[in-house]
Amino acid sequence: MRALFNVFAQVFRSIGANKLRSFLTMFGIAWGVASLLLLIGLGEGFRSGQRRGLAELGTDVIMMWGGTIPVLPEQHVGMRPYKLTMSDAAAIRAEAPDVRNVTAVINRSDLKQVSDFSSAGGQVLGVELNYPEISNLPIAQGRFLNQEDMAERRQVVILGQRMVGLLFPGRPPLGAVITLNGYRFQVIGVAKKVGRGNNDGSNQRIYIPLTTMQEFFPLTGDNIPQDSISQIQYQPLTEELNETAKSEVHKVIATRHGFDPARKEGFEEWDTIKSNRMVGLIFTAMDVFLGGVGIVTLALGAVGIINIMLVTVTERTKEIGLRKALGATNRSILFQFFLEGLTLTALSGLIGIIGAATLMAALGSVVGNNDMGFDPPRLVPWSAAMAMGTLTLCGIVAGLYPARQAAMLAPVEALRKE
């Protein structure tokens, strides 16, 4: 143990004998490690932020709106719009085996909302009981809709978090009454805040039973069926079956509205599963690129350490010859110089990791969760492991080659060179 301690003491004395040279060498390695971790940490912050944003819409959700029927060959009438209907949603439930959940939604943005204290203008959604199973709608106070609300077409509402502040500033909303275009509705629930920062679109909503919406505020217009709805949201059995589920839904909708399901331009939809995959692929490619740049940077740092250690061997030729003349073995000389290169590399990497982690923690405390689409950067375990693995390899190479050059010096030749 004492012999090992003496070896380490000699290593640190040798590093300290050339402070500026050692500092510049270590700085290059530390900078490369810190840059690698910071860039990957920032990329992961964007990735997780985008995923969080999609998750706030719901889990594995595919949304479909009414579209325009495309023109077919030899067809004189085409490009006419169509609306989705409640019967479309029922048909999807019955005829799409790879769809596990379906919900219909009516969305109105033209209904005036008034309380005893204020008025507001936000979206009013008519929803079904299973809406929270598909879309993200956690309840903070009160309750969500129940079967009696739907069957009896009750005039009840759930307020988004932002709507509480607009309609009932500083006052309790539960049990209170608001009017929608003059009709009285009782507040039975308040949703939790979703989203971050100033992204209040989802919080400035009011939810009422779909049956009540159809009775009091149905969609109207030319050639619009009585059971028209704004959108259908559904989930595939698994994420991997999203394309299969979409094909089944396309077939159902196209058949019911009289066009070819192969004409993709006839569908207006958003597949959040596909969007999530695209985000993942983009940021994975970014991580691979940044990781490659970081590894090249570390490799260049290792070359610098090799050069420094070779210079050290040249400068200490007399010392090597003297030690070998006094009985030092090739193995002990090899170990001495190998340990110096490895120590330089390990200390540099540790400083870089600590520096990157500290900076990311500081950025996290400043940024918080307020920026839309961006989570605070964080130290990604796999990037730190990759950095340490690369550093270990670089340290071995940077220490072993110069150490072998030192160990192979003959004592007489070493003393003669000085």
Side-chain angles (χ1 to χ4, degrees), residues 34-243:
S35 299
L36 168 66
L37 298 182
L38 279 171
L39 290 172
I40 292 180
L42 288 169
E44 288 299 308
F46 279 110
R47 183 202 296 262
S48 62
Q50 290 294 321
R51 285 179 173 174
R52 184 195 294 265
L54 290 173
E56 285 169 354
L57 296 173
T59 305
D60 306 341
V61 184
I62 302 174
M63 302 178 184
M64 174 175 280
W65 296 267
T68 303
I69 296 175
V71 177
L72 297 177
E74 300 180 359
Q75 180 179 338
H76 299 290
V77 180
M79 297 300 291
R80 57 185 175 86
Y82 69 90
K83 283 282 188 181
L84 298 176
T85 64
M86 287 294 297
S87 54
D88 289 336
I92 292 172
R93 292 188 185 99
E95 302 173 27
D98 290 301
V99 174
R100 76 174 189 267
N101 210 351
V102 182
T103 195
V105 178
I106 294 179
N107 187 342
R108 294 286 300 269
S109 300
D110 56 347
L111 305 182
K112 187 176 181 180
Q113 305 130 30
V114 180
S115 71
D116 291 338
F117 313 100
S118 182
S119 63
Q123 293 181 330
V124 179
L125 274 66
V127 297
E128 296 184 284
L129 295 182
N130 64 342
Y131 181 81
E133 299 172 12
I134 299 178
S135 288
N136 184 33
L137 185 61
I139 299 298
Q141 302 176 46
R143 66 174 177 85
F144 189 64
L145 305 174
N146 58 31
Q147 189 63 49
E148 288 74 22
D149 296 329
M150 301 292 292
E152 298 174 14
R153 302 183 179 184
R154 292 177 178 172
Q155 293 171 235
V156 293
V157 300
I158 293 94
L159 300 180
Q161 192 65 228
R162 175 65 174 158
M163 293 303 297
V164 174
L166 293 174
L167 294 173
F168 299 95
R171 295 171 175 84
L174 287 182
V177 172
I178 67 171
T179 61
L180 300 178
N181 274 17
Y183 294 96
R184 291 170 59 85
F185 284 76
Q186 184 180 27
V187 179
I188 62 170
V190 175
K192 291 182 180 177
K193 186 179 187 301
V194 295
R196 290 166 293 166
N198 297 321
N199 185 19
D200 274 336
S202 297
N203 297 302
Q204 197 166 332
R205 288 177 176 174
I206 293 176
Y207 303 88
I208 68 175
L210 182 61
T211 51
T212 307
M213 177 72 91
Q214 287 178 310
E215 179 176 350
F216 290 96
F217 315 115
L219 297 178
T220 58
D222 296 335
N223 300 318
I224 293 182
Q226 288 186 342
D227 64 341
S228 292
I229 56 179
S230 302
Q231 91 181 219
I232 292 175
Q233 299 183 10
Y234 63 95
Q235 298 168 304
L237 287 177
T238 64
E239 285 189 12
E240 291 72 24
L241 290 173
N242 67 313
E243 293 297 334

Side-chain angles (χ1 to χ4, degrees), residues 346-390:
L347 283 176
S348 305
L350 186 60
I351 292 170
I353 292 173
I354 293 173
T358 302
L359 183 55
M360 282 189 275
L363 286 173
S365 64
V366 172
V367 174
N369 287 326
N370 294 320
D371 287 351
M372 293 182 294
F374 177 72
D375 279 346
R378 65 182 187 276
L379 188 62
V380 182
W382 70 262
S383 65
M386 181 180 71
M388 289 305 298
T390 307

Side-chain angles (χ1 to χ4, degrees), residues 268-332:
E268 186 72 28
E269 63 187 352
W270 180 26
D271 184 351
T272 64
I273 301 171
K274 186 175 181 180
S275 297
N276 204 3
R277 286 176 186 162
M278 289 298 296
V279 169
L281 288 173
I282 290 170
F283 284 106
T284 296
M286 182 186 297
D287 287 345
V288 170
F289 172 75
L290 295 176
V293 171
I295 289 175
V296 171
T297 303
L298 293 179
L300 292 175
V303 171
I305 290 181
I306 292 173
N307 286 331
I308 292 300
M309 292 306 298
L310 287 173
V311 171
T312 302
V313 169
T314 303
E315 290 178 344
R316 295 165 62 185
T317 302
K318 183 178 180 179
E319 174 194 333
I320 295 168
L322 184 59
R323 288 180 61 186
K324 297 187 78 170
L326 293 174
T329 63
N330 287 349
R331 183 177 179 180
S332 65

